[in-house]
Amino acid sequence: MSRTYLNYIGGEWQGARSGVTNPDVNPARKDEVVAVFPSAGRDDAAQAAEAAARAFPGWARTPMPKRGEILLRAAALLEQRLDEVAEALTREEGKTLAESKGEVARGVSLFRYYAGEALQPTGEIYPSASPTTVLYAERVPLGTVALITPWNFPMAIPAWKIAPALAFGNTVVFKPAELTPLTAWHLADVLEKAGLPPGVLNLVVGKGSQVGQALVESPHVKAISFTGSNAVGTKLATQCVERGIKFQLEMGGKNPVIVLQDADLDKAVELTIAGAMLSAGQKCTATSRVIVERSVMGAFRDRLAARASALKVGDGMKPDTYMGPLVSADAEKTVLEYIEVGRKEGARVLAGGGKLTGGDYDRGFYVAPTVFDGVRPDMRIAQEEIFGPVVGLIEAQGFDEAVALANQSRFGLSASVVTRDLGLAMRFIREIEAGIVHVNSQTAGAEPQVPFGGFKHSSSGSREQGKAARDFFTQIKTVYLDPP
Ligand code: NAD
C-alpha cells in the first residue's frame, strides 16, 4: 500500500475538503503508485491563501537574520535526507538518480544561499536636499505570494522561489505540479521541522485549473511566481494585470547549440547529447536545435547519431541508465506526435524516432533519443517546444547565418556555441538573443547565485535566483525621515 500524504495549511496537515485523492505514479513503472496525495480544490486553496495572509504580519516582523536561520536549518535537514528525497524524485519524475541527487543538492545550496541573503543590506541611504532629512529606500515584502511550479525540476524550482520569498518576509502558498507532489511534500516537511511558524508556508497539491486559478483570483495573494508552459503563463499574466498584482513567468525554450567548423567535434557531440537527452530532454534549457557549419556537418552528424543510438535508456533508479522515461503518458503522446510532425515536414530520422518497446520498456513512458537531420528553420519541430529527447540538425553556411538561425525563434532562454575562436565566441555572446549564454558548455545548467531567465517569450518579469530574486520578492518604500 502506498502512503497517503496531506496538504499543509495554516500549520496543519490535512486532506482535501472534498476527500478526493490522486495517485502519484512512477513513469518508469506505471503500475507502481509511489504515493497518494490529496487533490485539493478551490476551497482548500482559498483556505491556504487566508492562512498565509494571517501569518504575514508576524513573519514580516520576524528579524531577517532569524528568518535566515530557519532557512539554514531547512538546508541542513534537506541535506540529511538527500538520498531519500532524490529517490522520491526519481520515482515520481523519472530522471536518473544521479540527476535527482544533483537537484536535491541544488535545493540545499539555494536555501543556504538565501540564508546568506538574509544578512545583506535591505536598502540604501541617499543624500537629501534638506539638511535635516534622513532619506532612504527600504526593501519590504509583498505579502502573500503564490508559487506555481512545474514537474520537471520539482526540487530546484520550488526551492529557488520559496527560499527568497521567505527570506524577504513574504508568506507563501506553494502549488506544485500534480505529477511531482512527493518532492514538494519533503520541502514543506523540512521547513516545518526547521521551525517555520504556522501559515508562513502552505502546500496545496491539486489541479492547476482549480488550485492555481483560485490562487490567482484570491484577494489575499499579492504576487504570482510561475514556471511552466507559455499557454498557462500567458493566461495567468493577463489575470494578474487585471488584478493589478505583480507576476513573474518562466516559460518555454527552443535552445540552440551552434557548432562552428573549428570546434572539437567530440566535445560538441558530448555537449549536445547532455543538453538534449539528460532528463529525457524535459528541461526548459534543453538543447533542441543543433546548428552546424556546413563543412563539419557530415562528420558531426554521424558521430551525434551514433552517440544518441548508443545511449542507455531505462529506469532512472538503475545506476547505468543515462536517460530515464518521460514523465507521463501525456508527455509521451506529445513527443511521439512531434516526431510524426517532423517526419511529415520532411526531416529525416537519424536516430531513435519512436517509442521504445519490449521488456521493462512496456512498463513505462520511454521514447528513444531522437535525432532529425535536414531540419529547416520554418518547420514546427524547429520552432515549437517539444520537451522530449528530440534534436534537429540545421545546416548553416557560416557564423553569421548560424546566429541568424539561432535567433529565428520566439524563445530566448539559453544558447551555446562550441568553438576555439575567441573572437567568434565574443561575437556570439553579443549577438545571440538569449538570457543565458554558454561558450563551450551545454545549454542546460544554472548556478544558484546568478540570475536565471530568458529573452522574448521565454520569460516575463524580473529574473529568478541570485540577487535578482530580491527585485521580485520585495517592493521599495522610500522614506523621508525628519525630526519632529
Ligand atoms: P504547465 O504550464 O502545464 O504547469 C505548470 C504549473 O501550472 C503546474 O503546477 C500546473 O498545475 C499549473 N497550472 C496549470 N494550469 C493552470 C491554471 N489554469 N492556473 C494556474 N495554474 C495552472 O507546465 P508543465 O507541463 O508542468 O511544465 C513544463 C513547461 O515548463 C515547459 O514549457 C517548460 O519549458 C517550462 N519550464 C520553464 C522553466 C524556466 O525556468 N523557463 C523551467 C522549467 C520548466
Side-chain angles (χ1 to χ4, degrees), residues 149 151-152 175 178 213 227-229 250-251 284 385 452:
T149 57
W151 45 264
N152 67 330
K175 188 255 169 271
E178 307 91 292
Q213 268 309 306
T227 301
S229 62
E250 287 299 338
M251 301 176 289
C284 51
E385 188 184 46
F452 180 90

Side-chain angles (χ1 to χ4, degrees), residues 148-152 157 160 175-178 206-209 212-213 216 226-230 232 235-236 250-253 284 385 387 413 452 458:
I148 302 179
T149 57
W151 45 264
N152 67 330
I157 293 175
W160 84 47
K175 188 255 169 271
E178 307 91 292
K207 287 199 170 72
S209 57
Q213 268 309 306
V216 178
F226 167 86
T227 301
S229 62
N230 283 70
V232 175
K235 185 167 162 254
L236 294 191
E250 287 299 338
M251 301 176 289
C284 51
E385 188 184 46
F387 226 54
L413 188 53
F452 180 90
S458 289

Side-chain angles (χ1 to χ4, degrees), residues 77 84 136 143 174 184 197 211 277 309-310 377-378 384 408-409 434 463:
L77 290 168
E84 184 191 349
Y136 65 95
F174 169 31
V211 175
M277 305 303 174
S309 304
D378 58 330
E384 297 174 20
Q408 204 176 322
S409 170
R463 290 284 184 268

